[in-house]
Amino acid sequence: MEKPVATLDKGAICSAWNYCGQRLAAGSVDGYLSILDSRDPLSSSFTSSFKFKVHEGCVVKVAWIPPEYGVAVACIAEDGTLSIWEELVEGTNPLEWKLCTSFKTSSKVLDVQFSVTQTSLKMVAAYSDGFVKVFELLDPLELKNWQLQAEFQNVIDSVTIVGKASCLTACISWNPQNGEGQESSFILGFNSDTPQLNSPKVWEFDPAHQRWLPVAELALPVDKGDQIYSVAWAPNIGR
Amino acid sequence: MPGVSSDSARGALVPLSPESPAAAVYPLRHGLKSPISRLSISWSRGNSLRVSVFAAPSSDGSVNDGDGGKVVEVKLGGGDGEISEAHWRRIAYGSVSPFALLQSRKNAVFSLSKFSMNSSPYDGDWWDYIMEYSKDINALLVNQKSASVPVLDDPKSVITKGEEPTSLKAAWELLEMFYAEKPSHSWLPERLVDWLADYDSLFSGTHPTVHSKLVDFQKELVNLQVVEDDPKYWEVMSSALAVGWLNIVVKMLRLHGSYRLDQLSNRETENGLVEAVAVLISKMPRMRLEHEAGKLGECYKAKPDFVKAWEKWRGQINKLDSSAFWFQCAHQQTREGLRSMLQIMLGNANSLCSATYNWIELYISHFLYMRPLTVGLESMYSLAQKSIQLKPMASAHRLMGLIIGILGENTEVVLAECLKGFGPWMVAHAIELLTAGSDHAEMLLHEERQNLGGISIEELHRLVYAQVLSSFPLTWQIAPIYLISCMKHGMVLLQRLLSKQPVQDNQLLLKSIEICRLYELHSVTSNIMKIAGVHHWKHGRKGSGVFWLQQARDEYRLNRIALQLFDSVGKTISDESFKQWEGLIQLLGSDSKTAGGLEFLHKYRDFKKSLRQIHDGKATDSARQAVESLISLMKNPSTPQRFWLPLLYDSLKLLNWKERPLLNVSQTNLLLNKLQELSMARLRPDFIESELPPQALNSVRLALGTNLGRAILEE
């Protein structure tokens, strides 16, 4: 029933498959990122084809960038740094993975997810102080320049700001449906000491006001303040 | 499965309550030595699940024996043990055209029936279509392997090599028998007799069968001198007789020692009795249309004829049974053996029960000898139940479950048995047979159900099968045929399937695009092309990248590429890069939409080319040509202002031409004016300084001034 397809090196701690399930990115405790491929498209046995150091500390999460923007992986380190690495061939150099950009702020990045809208690539990053930032890629062919589009907290009431929040983990999931006429939306939940931040909320972009608005809160009144560990958006198949 | 949606048009988020029965739990072997610290799950193609299992990193720095983690792929629903993977793929590929043909015929029939007055769209042709479909699929299920089958060429062998039957084929034939054949053609009990003759061996693995006894006896037969002394000989013959394998019985009877030429004189009576039984067997009346050539028994189509023949036959058996010759038969085993065979032929329930080994065989024997006139599924079902009671089985075989479901006329049970015993392929294709003649089944299977998300059972199973096909790289390409036959969810799943195909392999890419085009999935097509374009561009294959982006009509990225090309204007670049740059401009074409006109780039390219042809102030003609291009470029309004200085700087060689001034007075004045404009423009705040050495402006000015002087002198 089950078949082993890959063996990860010692210290591997997180992994992510790319959009077509043909490549696996694995991060390890000593700061290395491995990329595994299968030699033959028909076989299902994956071996490491690249391994390079991305951070000094442990890599806690990896996420692939949508293929419309290249072959790239975003890595989050234990110290909260976010870096984006891309597989490129530049000039006459052989194929290699290069650092495109790196974000370091006082608060740590906890989770990052990407979404392709009709016009651009958006990145949502959740931080340890309870804030979430939405970035937009300016140039579709370069993963270097990201513009901060919005910054807000995961609370319904946008007026008050919850200060001194301390979050352990966060989870984000984009709505995979990007049909015409539909604005992009994502769901965000935190695992923190502040109950208002925790409950998973669906955020949708309002183009008229150029703002992100919470359109739903997925929590029963009873367990609103519970910590959230993981969210995932189901693919919409026709309803 | 999707959660319950509310009925309101706007749609509300409703929590999914876990009312469904407990989820199935499967143990997963990962082979890691250390304890697990984390798990990561991800759905791959179709219904494969990939689980990454991470071992706890050692905190004390000691060498951790074993790996850091393992990734396993899980595909639930393992294959059929009797069918190899290659054969399954052949079946999958072969089923596509019969299925597609039937669907198109169905659509045609339905659209016609809208215009006609018929209440039911199914007519005579429809049964032919169904039969054709069934036969096409049946042909795929033939196994290449051969196995032992009871047949009769060699005098001493009762079993010979033939095609090895599979449960899948047996199941398909059952469904064909009960659902696809037109009602008037069915002599169901007799068909079941034939079916058992072909497939009894399938039960040998788990149950005792007549077939296995035959096979065992065959092995011993070679060593036997006097067959009639062996009690097994008589047992096996009785059993074969009970299930109607008349040819084998008669053949075995003729092995009897009394036929031997040297024995004939002594054992005349014995031989007479054996022959009499053999003749009676070969004249057994059967209620069926016709036999295959060479098969024993007399066929009768009409009930009155059959009944008459049956009574006569029974009369003959009784006469033989009560004749005086038995006392004259010396050989005890022969006497007893033949008489028990007569009992079977007379329909003695006990004899039948002891001669058969499982309930199906008993069931068949009842049809042959006790109730040959059984018609109707109800009576067949109750008879089956009685047989099961008389011969209860410890374990069930998937075919047995199927038979019960079919006889019980319970469509849902039939579907469940097909799914459980034979997998999604069977269900997806068998539904066509089940809905063929029965309005009830059709309603049941075509009705849209809320608990399934608004789709019918038929669609559900096709989607499930398509998911199975999508899970394997060698069969995903046939999944689209099944997906598009599903009205509701098929298209979206097809889009997902195609979006998740990799683009690195060119053949695969072209195949995906072909399928997209076939089903007019334009947005998916352009997206796939976009991904391919970006992939090629970033991996050094710029030409291919531009090609695919153009196919995808991705103006956004093409514009960016054009802007990147602009960056090369005014810079010295190597020959190799120039060629690439030139090639890209060529590819991009002079489409005026991109970056405000690539017209400039084309002209610039021509200018650069002509510049390169000039070596060391010698070839004046080409120099003049270059000057012409320069002037036309500077005059052209589509030339962006920021490129004026780079252009002039590039052409310093021309401006400082040793032989003679290449520009006349008016041309030089034009350039000087442009330079003046440029100096004015530089004072503006939004001016973009081009990356040239600081003395560029001065060198150009100097060169132009010198040229002006020389030009005036010339005139």
Side-chain angles (χ1 to χ4, degrees):
Chain A
M1 190 187 69
E2 76 271 326
K3 189 170 66 151
V5 294
T7 302
L8 304 171
D9 292 333
K10 288 199 229 345
I13 195 174
C14 57
S15 70
W17 288 96
N18 74 341
Y19 78 106
C20 57
Q22 296 290 82
R23 304 189 90 177
L24 178 67
S28 71
V29 292
D30 52 2
Y32 275 88
L33 181 70
S34 310
I35 306 290
L36 293 94
D37 288 293
S38 66
R39 300 273 163 250
D40 169 18
L42 292 181
S43 92
S44 51
S45 171
F46 293 80
T47 48
S48 175
S49 39
F50 293 96
K51 186 167 177 172
F52 47 97
K53 201 164 172 78
V54 297
H55 287 293
E56 283 311 315
C58 171
V59 177
V60 292
K61 192 158 166 52
V62 289
W64 284 88
I65 296 212
E68 290 89 337
Y69 290 87
V71 179
V73 174
C75 310
I76 301 180
E78 202 175 19
D79 64 356
T81 325
L82 169 67
S83 59
I84 297 183
W85 294 78
E86 188 176 7
E87 187 186 65
L88 284 174
V89 169
E90 272 180 352
T92 46
N93 299 341
L95 187 68
E96 57 177 346
W97 284 78
K98 285 202 146 110
L99 175 66
C100 294
T101 183
S102 170
F103 296 78
K104 188 157 176 67
T105 52
S106 50
S107 54
K108 300 202 264 185
V109 177
L110 297 175
D111 191 11
V112 68
Q113 290 290 341
F114 295 89
S115 166
V116 181
T117 63
Q118 272 155 352
T119 45
S120 61
L121 177 67
K122 290 209 171 70
M123 170 169 72
V124 171
Y127 288 79
S128 54
D129 57 1
F131 273 86
V132 59
K133 294 188 187 169
V134 181
F135 293 89
E136 197 168 335
L137 185 68
L138 294 170
D139 181 352
L141 293 172
E142 301 279 335
L143 288 172
K144 296 195 178 78
N145 302 314
W146 295 84
Q147 189 181 58
L148 178 64
Q149 192 201 42
E151 182 173 353
F152 49 91
Q153 277 190 318
N154 189 28
V155 289
I156 303 272
D157 174 14
S158 58
V159 176
T160 51
I161 296 203
V162 176
K164 293 283 183 189
S166 163
C167 309
L168 290 172
T169 62
C171 41
I172 306 170
S173 179
W174 280 92
N175 183 348
Q177 183 179 10
N178 276 317
E180 286 86 41
Q182 270 217 336
E183 287 306 322
S184 41
S185 55
F186 64 90
I187 183 173
L188 165 68
F190 275 98
N191 170 5
S192 76
D193 56 1
T194 316
Q196 297 110 296
L197 289 177
N198 282 348
S199 68
K201 297 174 192 64
V202 179
W203 293 87
E204 193 177 82
F205 188 63
D206 173 13
H209 298 98
Q210 292 289 306
R211 283 188 319 174
W212 288 86
L213 298 173
V215 295
E217 185 175 5
L218 301 183
L220 300 170
V222 178
D223 42 26
K224 247 191 203 178
D226 284 355
Q227 290 100 340
I228 300 297
Y229 290 96
S230 180
V231 290
W233 207 292
N236 185 359
I237 51 168
R239 294 189 306 145
Chain B
M1 278 314 290
V4 176
S5 65
S6 67
D7 291 325
S8 65
R10 286 283 291 158
L13 284 167
V14 176
L16 177 65
S17 44
E19 279 162 358
S20 49
V25 177
Y26 301 90
L28 199 66
R29 290 181 297 261
H30 51 78
L32 284 176
K33 295 202 185 91
S34 335
I36 303 174
S37 69
R38 272 174 148 206
L39 272 186
S40 171
I41 56 175
S42 161
W43 285 104
S44 167
R45 303 190 254 234
N47 59 4
S48 349
L49 181 68
R50 292 207 176 126
V51 182
S52 303
V53 184
F54 299 101
S58 59
S59 49
D60 54 356
S62 66
V63 173
N64 216 359
D65 61 331
D67 308 305
K70 262 239 169 13
V71 183
V72 296
E73 188 175 68
V74 180
K75 286 192 186 80
L76 289 179
D80 196 325
E82 294 174 5
I83 297 187
S84 69
E85 284 219 15
H87 191 203
W88 181 80
R89 276 198 294 276
R90 268 202 307 279
I91 294 175
Y93 271 94
S95 329
V96 173
S97 21
F99 180 82
L101 181 60
L102 192 68
Q103 296 312 309
S104 68
R105 281 176 168 162
K106 224 195 253 190
N107 292 336
V109 163
F110 267 114
S111 48
L112 275 178
S113 74
K114 282 193 191 123
F115 300 112
S116 78
M117 304 302 273
N118 287 347
S119 56
S120 160
Y122 299 119
D123 57 353
D125 278 345
W126 184 246
W127 287 109
D128 292 335
Y129 295 154
I130 290 281
M131 224 23 223
E132 191 183 325
Y133 168 74
S134 187
K135 290 261 177 274
D136 285 341
I137 301 241
N138 202 349
L140 293 167
L141 301 175
V142 168
N143 199 343
Q144 321 297 37
K145 291 188 279 187
S146 61
S148 42
V149 159
V151 162
L152 4 136
D153 294 338
D154 176 8
K156 264 267 179 167
S157 84
V158 283
I159 296 197
T160 190
K161 296 289 173 207
E163 158 211 322
E164 179 167 310
T166 56
S167 300
L168 190 62
K169 190 162 195 289
W172 189 264
E173 284 194 10
L174 274 176
L175 293 170
E176 191 180 280
M177 204 190 297
F178 281 93
Y179 296 105
E181 297 189 356
K182 267 198 245 182
S184 57
H185 279 175
S186 64
W187 306 93
L188 281 171
E190 282 287 333
R191 302 276 279 109
L192 278 175
V193 173
D194 291 342
W195 182 88
L196 189 67
D198 289 333
Y199 298 113
D200 193 34
S201 56
L202 290 171
F203 298 109
S204 303
T206 45
H207 301 82
T209 55
V210 172
H211 185 267
S212 57
K213 299 282 182 246
L214 256 178
V215 171
D216 291 341
F217 182 68
Q218 166 74 74
K219 292 194 197 117
E220 292 181 17
L221 189 57
V222 282
N223 299 324
L224 277 181
Q225 298 289 31
V226 187
V227 278
E228 60 269 24
D229 284 344
D230 189 352
K232 278 226 193 68
Y233 170 70
W234 298 105
E235 277 171 25
V236 167
M237 272 204 297
S238 298
S239 299
L241 180 62
V243 287
W245 301 353
L246 306 181
N247 288 52
I248 294 177
V249 180
V250 169
K251 191 174 175 202
M252 282 177 77
L253 271 179
R254 299 243 160 91
L255 291 175
H256 194 270
S258 64
Y259 282 96
R260 300 238 297 261
L261 291 171
D262 56 337
Q263 307 269 336
L264 219 43
S265 41
N266 309 357
R267 301 160 74 170
E268 232 180 68
T269 325
E270 209 180 308
N271 185 260
L273 286 168
V274 174
E275 183 62 24
V277 171
V279 168
L280 276 174
I281 291 176
S282 56
K283 291 231 181 303
M284 177 179 172
R286 303 285 286 269
M287 187 74 197
R288 62 193 290 149
L289 264 182
E290 81 238 321
H291 256 315
E292 269 172 42
K295 288 248 164 149
L296 297 171
E298 311 250 322
C299 301
Y300 294 91
K301 280 181 275 195
K303 195 165 140 182
D305 298 334
F306 173 80
V307 171
K308 220 161 67 172
W310 186 255
E311 319 250 278
K312 188 167 159 212
W313 186 68
R314 277 280 167 82
Q316 288 172 334
I317 299 177
N318 275 318
K319 199 163 138 200
L320 180 61
D321 197 34
S322 52
S323 91
F325 289 114
W326 295 108
F327 303 108
Q328 294 175 21
C329 175
H331 198 239
Q332 190 208 9
Q333 282 102 321
T334 305
R335 199 170 56 230
E336 284 172 8
L338 287 177
R339 289 196 94 156
S340 65
M341 284 167 76
L342 288 180
Q343 284 305 306
I344 288 180
M345 284 151 63
L346 285 171
N348 181 319
N350 291 332
S351 310
L352 290 177
C353 202
S354 52
T356 54
Y357 298 100
N358 59 51
W359 73 262
I360 298 186
E361 290 167 357
L362 179 62
Y363 186 50
I364 299 292
S365 66
H366 275 219
F367 281 138
L368 285 168
Y369 300 105
M370 288 177 68
R371 314 251 295 272
L373 294 169
T374 311
V375 277
L377 282 177
E378 259 185 67
S379 34
M380 286 175 76
Y381 184 57
S382 53
L383 187 55
Q385 300 231 314
K386 264 195 240 156
S387 308
I388 297 177
Q389 273 173 351
L390 286 171
K391 281 210 182 287
M393 300 273 97
S395 61
H397 191 277
R398 45 189 170 153
L399 283 172
M400 290 181 181
L402 184 59
I403 295 177
I404 303 282
I406 295 176
L407 291 174
E409 294 181 271
N410 192 334
T411 315
E412 283 169 330
V413 171
V414 174
L415 272 184
E417 290 291 333
C418 281
L419 189 60
K420 194 173 66 177
F422 302 98
W425 174 89
M426 179 58 127
V427 182
H429 292 87
I431 283 188
E432 301 298 334
L433 299 181
L434 292 175
T435 53
S438 159
D439 285 338
H440 165 76
E442 199 185 324
M443 250 175 20
L444 182 73
L445 298 174
H446 287 169
E447 177 198 334
E448 290 174 2
R449 288 158 185 263
Q450 278 308 105
N451 65 330
L452 295 177
I455 56 174
S456 64
I457 295 187
E458 182 182 72
E459 181 167 328
L460 173 69
H461 284 114
R462 282 186 193 159
L463 291 175
V464 168
Y465 178 58
Q467 285 292 81
V468 172
L469 285 174
S470 311
S471 314
F472 297 94
L474 288 172
T475 49
W476 75 268
Q477 297 170 11
I478 50 183
I481 312 263
Y482 294 91
L483 287 173
I484 53 151
S485 70
C486 297
M487 296 289 105
K488 296 216 152 176
H489 295 177
M491 261 337 210
V492 185
L493 279 175
L494 180 59
Q495 286 175 350
R496 276 174 60 81
L497 171 65
L498 289 163
S499 317
K500 289 197 166 205
Q501 293 301 323
V503 301
Q504 279 100 307
D505 182 53
N506 214 34
Q507 269 189 331
L508 205 51
L509 172 64
L510 291 172
K511 186 81 202 172
S512 307
I513 293 176
E514 185 191 319
I515 298 181
C516 283
R517 288 223 167 104
L518 186 59
Y519 299 113
E520 296 178 3
L521 296 170
H522 302 300
S523 64
V524 180
T525 318
S526 63
N527 213 46
I528 293 180
M529 292 175 174
K530 201 190 292 185
I531 296 177
V534 171
H535 192 265
H536 284 303
W537 177 263
K538 300 235 169 167
H539 285 78
R541 297 179 290 272
K542 304 219 166 189
S544 309
V546 170
F547 168 71
W548 282 112
L549 287 173
Q550 282 175 322
Q551 294 286 309
R553 303 223 173 91
D554 189 351
E555 300 300 339
Y556 191 30
R557 286 181 181 77
L558 286 170
N559 275 347
R560 285 285 172 174
I561 291 179
L563 282 174
Q564 278 188 13
L565 292 177
F566 273 118
D567 287 342
S568 305
V569 171
K571 297 207 187 97
T572 43
I573 43 181
S574 67
D575 278 336
E576 177 103 7
S577 316
F578 181 72
K579 273 211 194 107
Q580 194 184 64
W581 182 85
E582 204 192 348
L584 284 173
I585 294 184
Q586 192 82 23
L587 268 179
L588 282 170
S590 55
D591 194 2
S592 60
K593 282 190 283 175
T594 18
L598 286 175
E599 201 187 316
F600 160 69
L601 275 180
H602 278 263
K603 289 211 164 66
Y604 182 74
R605 177 203 54 194
D606 295 335
F607 169 63
K608 269 297 235 203
K609 248 165 74 174
S610 42
L611 264 187
R612 281 167 167 258
Q613 282 170 348
I614 305 166
H615 305 289
D616 300 318
K618 291 294 168 132
T620 317
D621 280 333
S622 23
R624 229 173 250 159
Q625 220 174 8
V627 166
E628 290 307 317
S629 323
L630 175 64
I631 298 299
S632 79
L633 264 173
M634 292 304 288
K635 271 198 200 161
N636 198 328
S638 73
T639 305
Q641 197 179 55
R642 59 192 164 111
F643 291 130
W644 287 352
L645 190 52
L647 271 173
L648 290 169
Y649 189 66
D650 259 350
S651 14
L652 266 180
K653 212 165 32 177
L654 290 176
L655 299 174
N656 288 331
W657 201 249
K658 293 253 171 34
E659 257 187 24
R660 50 184 307 262
L662 290 170
L663 298 139
N664 62 23
V665 178
S666 54
Q667 284 172 340
T668 320
N669 274 329
L670 167 74
L671 292 181
L672 278 169
N673 283 337
K674 290 280 187 193
L675 212 52
Q676 188 66 11
E677 251 182 77
L678 193 61
S679 307
M680 297 299 285
R682 276 170 128 202
L683 300 170
R684 273 198 299 235
D686 57 346
F687 184 77
I688 309 162
E689 200 63 66
S690 44
E691 297 158 9
L692 291 170
Q695 73 275 23
L697 186 57
N698 287 333
S699 336
V700 171
R701 212 176 256 144
L702 182 61
L704 278 175
T706 322
N707 203 299
L708 184 59
R710 290 161 78 193
I712 291 175
L713 282 173
E714 278 234 332
E715 276 182 13

